[in-house]
Amino acid sequence: MKSFSPENPILVIGSARSGTTWLAKLIDSHPAILYRHEPDSVTLSGGVPFLPEISDYKNLQSSAKGYFDALLETGSAKASGTAPFFHKTYRSSLGRAALILNIYITRLWERMPLAKPELAVFDFLKKKLRSQIRYMVKSVTSLWRTGLFSYAVPSLRIVHIVRHQCAVVASFLRGNRLGLMDGKAYVASLASTQEFSKYTLDASELLGAPIETQLAASWMLNNQKVNDELHGSPQYLLVKYEDLARNLPSQVTNLFGFLDLEQSAETAAFISALQASTATSPRYFSVLRSPKSALGTWRKELTDLQIARIRDTVIQCRLGQNYFS
């Protein structure tokens, strides 16, 4: 696929279960946004490692630029098909209906057991308006690549969301019980990085530690690296999930100002729908819930010992100290 370079693309980044999809959908409600949902889980790149070191950025710059451009054009049901589907100025009503139909047909096709070629999901764009589109990628697996992407794509706007580590761990454990998460923290590879040596962590002890300790260490190693590399950059915005949930309209105003997006009627309607939501047991991956509904629920789901293990791990980094001062 021929790569292209749109103006001022957006990257929404954060750990899994931190509200990345919810935040991305708030931005996606703007009629100029074209949203790619976790395309790096579909479009893989052997030339851009998951854990690049800063010393590698110069040599990886060209590969990272090409890979990020490829992510923007990923055509798959997962990357293109996350509800709700908003009105877009670059797509007609008929095009929107065709897109949704295309996504559901592709999902059915992917569930068929027979060997088959992959089906692509088309964007159904008005070609004359393509230059007006703001492309956005959301990822939970490329945290370590964020600094590299920023280096390779200088116009990239990065929105980094962090959530209370206890809430992240509690949500992960709940998903594991439901069979929706794989139950792994993937800390072995992180233990071999230069970043790992900054903390009082022992690799062998961490690999044998309880899952909540491993998840807390992963949260710290990934999120603090992003913040350390990009803190102070005019292209970087750190968003706290709790602030967003408690003050949604004003936080979205600040967010859109950072992204140079005008407030839209579609976004205002989406915010109103979220605030009016009365769903008490929304689906695990649903974004259609009251913003404040998940605040503090971790206190009922984690034991005092689990909370202490999480605190004792993340207190080593600045972002963790913000929650456990």
Side-chain angles (χ1 to χ4, degrees), residues 40 54 59 164 172 183 274 306-307 323:
D40 46 350
I54 295 177
N59 291 334
H164 197 298
F172 180 93
L274 291 172
Q306 288 175 312
I307 294 172
Y323 286 96

Side-chain angles (χ1 to χ4, degrees), residues 211-284:
I211 185 62
E212 59 268 18
T213 300
Q214 293 186 4
L215 290 169
S218 177
W219 184 97
M220 176 175 68
L221 289 162
N222 282 296
N223 288 284
Q224 192 59 61
K225 175 179 170 60
V226 174
N227 188 249
D228 283 344
E229 290 187 29
L230 297 172
H231 179 73
S233 168
Q235 302 294 106
Y236 170 76
L237 179 68
L238 179 68
V239 175
K240 291 181 67 175
Y241 175 94
E242 293 76 15
D243 292 343
L244 188 64
R246 293 189 179 103
N247 305 290
L248 187 56
S250 62
Q251 288 288 310
V252 170
T253 296
N254 293 337
L255 174 64
F256 276 33
F258 167 74
L259 296 174
D260 290 330
L261 293 172
E262 295 181 357
Q263 293 284 346
S264 69
E266 291 85 353
T267 300
F270 186 45
I271 290 174
S272 296
L274 291 172
Q275 292 178 319
S277 174
T278 58
T280 56
S281 300
R283 292 181 295 112
Y284 184 69

Side-chain angles (χ1 to χ4, degrees), residues 125-314:
L125 308 179
K126 297 177 182 177
K127 293 183 179 180
K128 293 182 179 180
L129 299 179
R130 181 165 179 161
S131 62
Q132 301 176 20
I133 294 172
R134 288 288 299 279
Y135 285 79
M136 175 176 67
V137 168
K138 191 277 277 195
S139 173
V140 295
T141 58
S142 284
L143 273 157
W144 207 273
R145 293 166 164 164
T146 303
L148 173 59
F149 284 149
S150 179
Y151 180 80
V153 187
S155 66
L156 182 64
R157 301 290 180 92
I158 297 165
V159 183
H160 177 201
I161 186 168
V162 294
R163 186 183 184 186
H164 197 298
Q165 303 81 55
C166 288
V168 172
V169 172
S171 182
F172 180 93
L173 296 178
R174 191 184 326 122
N176 190 34
R177 291 192 298 270
L178 294 171
L180 300 173
M181 303 292 283
D182 65 8
K184 299 178 182 179
Y186 299 100
V187 292
S189 56
L190 292 171
S192 63
T193 64
Q194 296 175 14
E195 196 76 13
F196 192 85
S197 63
K198 295 180 179 180
Y199 305 101
T200 57
L201 298 171
D202 181 272
S204 58
E205 290 181 3
L206 182 60
L207 293 176
I211 185 62
E212 59 268 18
T213 300
Q214 293 186 4
L215 290 169
S218 177
W219 184 97
M220 176 175 68
L221 289 162
N222 282 296
N223 288 284
Q224 192 59 61
K225 175 179 170 60
V226 174
N227 188 249
D228 283 344
E229 290 187 29
L230 297 172
H231 179 73
S233 168
Q235 302 294 106
Y236 170 76
L237 179 68
L238 179 68
V239 175
K240 291 181 67 175
Y241 175 94
E242 293 76 15
D243 292 343
L244 188 64
R246 293 189 179 103
N247 305 290
L248 187 56
S250 62
Q251 288 288 310
V252 170
T253 296
N254 293 337
L255 174 64
F256 276 33
F258 167 74
L259 296 174
D260 290 330
L261 293 172
E262 295 181 357
Q263 293 284 346
S264 69
E266 291 85 353
T267 300
F270 186 45
I271 290 174
S272 296
L274 291 172
Q275 292 178 319
S277 174
T278 58
T280 56
S281 300
R283 292 181 295 112
Y284 184 69
F285 292 112
S286 175
V287 299
L288 300 176
R289 66 180 74 193
S290 171
K292 299 180 182 179
S293 64
L295 291 178
T297 57
W298 57 268
R299 298 181 186 279
K300 301 177 182 178
E301 299 179 274
L302 299 177
T303 67
D304 289 343
L305 179 57
Q306 288 175 312
I307 294 172
R309 286 170 174 162
I310 296 167
R311 179 196 62 224
D312 292 346
T313 301
V314 302

